[in-house]
Amino acid sequence: MVQQLHSLGLDLSSGTATESELPATPSVVYMDVNVVPEHDKEGLASTISSLQGSSIISLRASAVAHSWPPTKTFLRYLDAKRREALDKILDIKGSIRVFCRVKLMDERKAASPISTEADKITVRSAGTRKEFVLDRVFHPESTQEDVFREVKPILRSALDGHNVCILAYGQTGTGKTHTMEGNNGRPGIVPRAIEELFHQISQDESASFTLSMSMLEVYMGSLRDLFVHRRSPARVTHWIPKWYAALILYAHHHPANHIVRLGSNLSILRISDGTVEIEGLTDVQVTDVKQARRWYARGKHARSTSWTNVNDASSRLTRITISRSNEAVDGTNNLVSKIWLVDLGGSERLLKSGATGQTLDEGRAINLSLSALADVIAALRTRRNHIPYRHLLTVILVTFASQICCLSLNSKLTQLLSDSLGDGSKVLMIVHVSPGEDDAGETVCSLSFATRVRAVEANRELSEDTKKRKQQRVAELEQGVREAEEELRRVRDQMERTAKLIQEKTNTLRVDLRGSPRSPLTLNPVELDGGDTKTAEKPVQRARAAPVPRFMSSTACSRRRQQEAAESLGRARRRSTDLRGSQSHSCYQTSKKMTVAYRRRDPSLSLQCNPMNVSHDSVDSRGSWSSSKPKKLSNSNPNLRVALHQQHRRRMSDLI
Ligand SMILES: Nc1ncnc2c1ncn2[C@@H]1O[C@H](COP(=O)(O)OP(=O)(O)OP(=O)(O)O)[C@@H](O)[C@H]1O
């Protein structure tokens, strides 16, 4: 403990640390000093000496309990620490990371030509052996959880304000959709990311967040909004002339008319600050996981029922826009970041697939698009002045002059993602390969592309020694992130516990006050008990029952007197019940007259000596004559009491 205080720049040997010696950044010591009431030297010195041996957490906890502003500062400090460590990790690991996932082997198939290690994949085929080093390789038995565990940190960095792009790439049928979407039992990256983002937001008190979502499909250079319902030509034919329907269907199937087919009305805008916007794309704000899941299901449904039926040739994109506002916390402005989750179209080699016609166009479009993507990433990263969107387009235009669609696609996909691929953004590409012998050639192609993308970031080829040191540093930083997160959790728990404790204490105090002799509490029950209606009921009932203003209500003393009076009244009643059977009305009349006469002579007497008069009125509102009146007589006139007693005895003896 003392060492930690030392490391923060406090001279403890003399015990004369002053406020000016406190570190500028909020820290444990800063918190401690807030616990010391006057920040005085002596107080600080004694606090420090009393703290020796106590745990640092309990110390912070006490600070949390004592002062709210430093707590918020402390939370922000911890959050900043965590973010800094996470940024460093991602920088060391590389802001372009390439993973490989090998599809689960079909049991009927022969031995796979692929062997995997943690960051290496080897393909043996036709007497050749090719080795590819990537950031992470997932073997065929890897689960969706394994994959998501590696993706999670990058999501956190999106919440911290970085643009993020996660792309699934690979041959058709190798599991791109399985990784990105998954199925009900095994959800993929997109549904998990949605859940994780909302979870992280709920935990983060350093800022307020707003999330919005869009989904679109890119096919042959057209963009389709997946949140907008479109009629299929098949449905259109119900209400238009047959010749016109035939024309539409012809247009739908003709490769040159792809834009007409999809009815794309979305255009990409590049704003001066470098951000990219899609004009006309639906962007829905989502406030909770359920709502986000519903919209995601809607987008998936729109794609699966796509009348173009081009799922394996189209790229599906989900965009999550995050607005982070620190205004409520420290007055800083909004920070907007984007997460692109992209399920790219299949990347088959055209020769192998033997595609013709439209399929050939699609294949060319996809391959060219992907190679353009790698070039664009490279250009953005090396901060080349000229980003080769147009250059690529020219090359493509020359090579495939007849395929205007290729040009369109290249520009669209790369332009769409350009602000999330450049410097400052985090890119994660998951290359999918098949474990089958037949697909070995395709696998080598995909892995070569992956290596090319990975090489965009310089210094990827490191010596073993450097790699080891890097891994060690990453492990340290990861430990730092875990500790910061753990501390954040602990501080939040402590805050909750403290708030609960305060509430309990307040309740107890109020209950005590309610029971106190001179101050019957009739405060607003909700205000009193924090909405706890069970405990709030009592004061309400009491308030309703009180016939007099609050300040006039009875004290404990008067209540005690009332109780005694009630008891003696009870006794008197029982006696009078016995008497009632024997006493004649005339006797009552006589005694009444005499009482009145007595009162006239000395009115104070009956009131003064008989508290029952008061209690009779207040306790027994029915005014039972038989209980109180004989009592009055007995108290006010001893002679009369004797006469009555004798009379009573005579009557009783008559009865016997
Ligand atoms: N790792 C895996 N574990 C279990 N099943 C898998 C795995 N990868 C893929 N599959 C299964 O293989 C089939 C094809 O996968 P998927 O549709 O995801 O491929 P794809 O690459 O997205 O194809 P396309 O390019 O046509 O979109 C699916 O039935 C999927 O469930």
Side-chain angles (χ1 to χ4, degrees):
M1 175 71 209
V2 173
Q3 269 172 358
Q4 284 186 46
L5 293 172
H6 260 305
S7 69
L8 289 162
L10 283 173
D11 176 16
L12 302 179
S13 54
S14 57
T16 56
T18 61
E19 206 173 348
S20 61
E21 287 172 36
L22 294 174
T25 51
S27 65
V28 179
V29 177
Y30 178 78
M31 305 286 290
D32 298 344
V33 170
N34 273 280
V35 178
V36 181
E38 281 88 34
H39 297 220
D40 60 330
K41 284 184 188 181
E42 271 181 33
L44 181 60
S46 67
T47 306
I48 289 166
S49 58
S50 70
L51 292 172
Q52 289 182 16
S54 62
S55 90
I56 196 161
I57 293 302
S58 67
L59 205 165
R60 285 170 191 170
S62 64
V64 169
H66 282 262
S67 168
W68 277 90
T71 304
K72 281 205 166 180
T73 315
F74 188 49
L75 280 177
R76 272 210 304 282
Y77 162 71
L78 284 177
D79 190 54
K81 209 170 119 182
R82 179 197 56 74
R83 275 202 270 168
E84 198 183 317
L86 190 66
D87 270 354
K88 276 184 192 160
I89 292 172
L90 292 175
D91 283 347
I92 293 173
K93 282 187 172 178
S95 52
I96 297 179
R97 305 185 70 207
V98 183
F99 297 168
C100 174
R101 186 176 193 187
V102 185
K103 190 187 169 185
L104 194 61
M105 183 78 176
D106 189 340
E107 281 168 14
R108 288 164 296 170
K109 290 203 172 161
S112 170
I114 288 176
S115 59
T116 60
E117 287 171 48
D119 60 353
K120 209 181 278 179
I121 179 163
T122 311
V123 186
R124 289 181 191 84
S125 173
T128 59
R129 181 179 179 276
K130 286 208 165 123
E131 205 175 80
F132 301 90
V133 177
L134 301 169
D135 293 293
R136 181 84 162 80
V137 177
F138 296 102
H139 57 79
E141 281 79 30
S142 299
T143 60
Q144 301 281 62
E145 285 79 21
D146 294 335
V147 177
F148 190 68
R149 202 170 302 123
E150 292 289 331
V151 174
K152 230 170 160 178
I154 212 174
L155 294 176
R156 181 65 249 183
S157 111
L159 287 176
D160 293 342
H162 297 280
N163 284 346
V164 163
C165 190
I166 302 173
L167 305 119
Y169 166 79
Q171 185 189 351
T172 299
T174 48
K176 299 182 292 292
T177 310
H178 179 75
T179 298
M180 296 308 283
E181 277 182 17
N183 49 41
N184 284 343
R186 292 173 291 175
I189 290 175
V190 185
R192 281 171 198 265
I194 290 171
E195 207 140 311
E196 178 63 19
L197 287 172
F198 277 104
H199 172 72
Q200 299 258 2
I201 285 171
S202 70
Q203 299 287 304
D204 196 333
E205 280 155 40
S206 62
S208 64
F209 295 89
T210 314
L211 298 194
S212 62
M213 235 177 122
S214 307
M215 283 178 81
L216 68 148
E217 188 175 29
V218 179
Y219 172 69
M220 303 269 286
S222 282
L223 306 185
R224 181 182 169 221
D225 189 338
L226 290 175
F227 286 164
V228 173
H229 176 75
R230 276 188 216 291
R231 274 178 184 280
S232 75
R235 286 191 202 133
V236 170
T237 52
H238 291 301
W239 50 273
I240 57 169
K242 274 190 180 161
W243 64 267
Y244 191 60
L247 195 67
I248 290 177
L249 286 171
Y250 170 75
H252 169 55
H253 288 294
H254 197 281
N257 292 331
H258 58 280
I259 293 174
V260 178
R261 275 182 299 159
L262 290 172
S264 167
N265 57 355
L266 306 174
S267 49
I268 301 169
L269 305 174
R270 205 176 164 86
I271 301 163
S272 55
D273 64 355
T275 54
V276 172
E277 254 320 311
I278 305 155
E279 205 178 31
L281 180 70
T282 312
D283 190 45
V284 286
Q285 192 175 322
V286 282
T287 50
D288 57 41
V289 187
K290 270 190 188 168
Q291 206 184 9
R293 274 202 214 119
R294 266 203 303 277
W295 278 102
Y296 180 57
R298 186 174 165 159
K300 270 196 331 183
H301 179 74
R303 187 176 59 74
S304 62
T305 56
S306 163
W307 49 276
T308 55
N309 195 23
V310 290
N311 285 353
D312 52 352
S314 68
S315 296
R316 283 83 67 180
L317 297 90
T318 305
R319 184 184 70 179
I320 301 172
T321 309
I322 303 163
S323 276
R324 181 190 167 105
S325 167
N326 291 14
E327 209 148 349
V329 185
D330 56 15
T332 54
N333 286 337
N334 265 14
L335 208 61
V336 179
S337 53
K338 279 186 256 185
I339 304 178
W340 279 109
L341 301 146
V342 189
D343 181 359
L344 288 165
S347 63
E348 285 69 359
R349 280 183 314 160
L350 300 174
L351 285 177
K352 188 202 161 203
S353 65
T356 54
Q358 189 183 346
T359 319
L360 182 73
D361 299 337
E362 286 169 348
R364 276 178 186 159
I366 291 157
N367 271 5
L368 286 166
S369 153
L370 294 169
S371 90
L373 197 64
D375 286 347
V376 169
I377 293 173
L380 288 166
R381 291 295 164 142
T382 50
R383 293 202 188 91
R384 255 191 262 153
N385 285 338
H386 175 63
I387 309 295
Y389 304 121
R390 303 292 157 198
H391 169 70
L392 272 165
L393 296 183
T394 317
V395 174
I396 294 157
L397 192 64
V398 172
T399 320
F400 302 98
S402 60
Q403 305 299 330
I404 297 166
C405 53
C406 298
L407 181 152
S408 176
L409 176 62
N410 261 292
S411 100
K412 287 276 160 66
L413 195 60
T414 50
Q415 279 181 27
L416 261 182
L417 303 176
S418 61
D419 68 345
S420 302
L421 297 171
D423 221 9
S425 49
K426 318 279 174 191
V427 179
L428 176 60
M429 181 173 277
I430 308 173
V431 177
H432 292 77
V433 293
S434 156
E437 181 91 63
D438 300 348
D439 298 314
E442 196 60 52
T443 301
V444 169
C445 264
S446 295
L447 291 170
S448 302
F449 173 71
T451 317
R452 195 173 151 213
V453 171
R454 191 169 177 266
V456 165
E457 205 155 71
N459 306 323
R460 299 310 291 250
E461 298 313 318
L462 302 166
S463 68
E464 281 305 309
D465 188 38
T466 318
K467 263 190 197 168
K468 253 184 207 160
R469 272 191 282 125
K470 224 173 111 173
Q471 277 169 359
Q472 203 177 337
R473 181 75 187 120
V474 168
E476 280 168 17
L477 286 165
E478 278 174 346
Q479 180 63 23
V481 171
R482 272 196 296 276
E483 277 173 13
E485 282 174 351
E486 186 57 32
E487 256 173 82
L488 273 166
R489 241 192 315 275
R490 253 183 293 197
V491 171
R492 279 192 203 115
D493 284 354
Q494 183 62 41
M495 280 167 73
E496 269 172 32
R497 275 203 299 275
T498 309
K500 238 184 231 170
L501 204 72
I502 290 170
Q503 185 64 41
E504 274 169 23
K505 293 271 177 214
T506 314
N507 288 347
T508 318
L509 189 70
R510 281 166 185 171
V511 168
D512 287 352
L513 282 171
R514 273 187 212 135
S516 112
R518 295 258 163 222
S519 51
L521 268 185
T522 47
L523 295 177
N524 176 2
V526 177
E527 180 193 313
L528 246 174
D529 299 300
D532 184 352
T533 46
K534 273 186 194 164
T535 47
E537 250 168 42
K538 287 176 189 169
V540 172
Q541 284 168 359
R542 190 175 296 176
R544 267 196 221 118
V548 290
R550 239 180 294 157
F551 66 90
M552 286 176 69
S553 54
S554 58
T555 62
C557 253
S558 67
R559 279 200 297 276
R560 203 168 47 243
R561 280 200 302 276
Q562 281 174 13
Q563 199 180 346
E564 282 168 11
E567 278 167 13
S568 46
L569 178 66
R571 280 197 298 275
R573 264 188 196 159
R574 278 194 297 279
R575 268 203 306 274
S576 68
T577 313
D578 294 343
L579 282 170
R580 214 179 290 164
S582 57
Q583 270 181 332
S584 69
H585 184 65
S586 63
C587 168
Y588 166 69
Q589 291 293 340
T590 316
S591 62
K592 194 178 173 188
K593 276 177 202 160
M594 291 179 78
T595 312
V596 172
Y598 242 88
R599 272 200 198 139
R600 273 186 200 140
R601 233 181 297 154
D602 186 3
S604 65
L605 192 62
S606 65
L607 285 169
Q608 201 181 13
C609 64
N610 187 10
M612 296 263 305
N613 285 345
V614 179
S615 60
H616 170 74
D617 289 339
S618 58
V619 175
D620 190 354
S621 57
R622 285 166 298 164
S624 165
W625 62 268
S626 58
S627 61
S628 58
K629 277 156 185 144
K631 188 90 183 173
K632 272 185 213 164
L633 292 174
S634 67
N635 281 341
S636 56
N637 188 351
N639 294 333
L640 185 64
R641 190 177 58 194
V642 171
L644 280 170
H645 184 62
Q646 282 170 354
Q647 196 180 13
H648 168 68
R649 281 182 62 179
R650 262 201 314 277
R651 285 189 174 276
M652 290 301 282
S653 61
D654 289 346
L655 281 172
I656 295 163

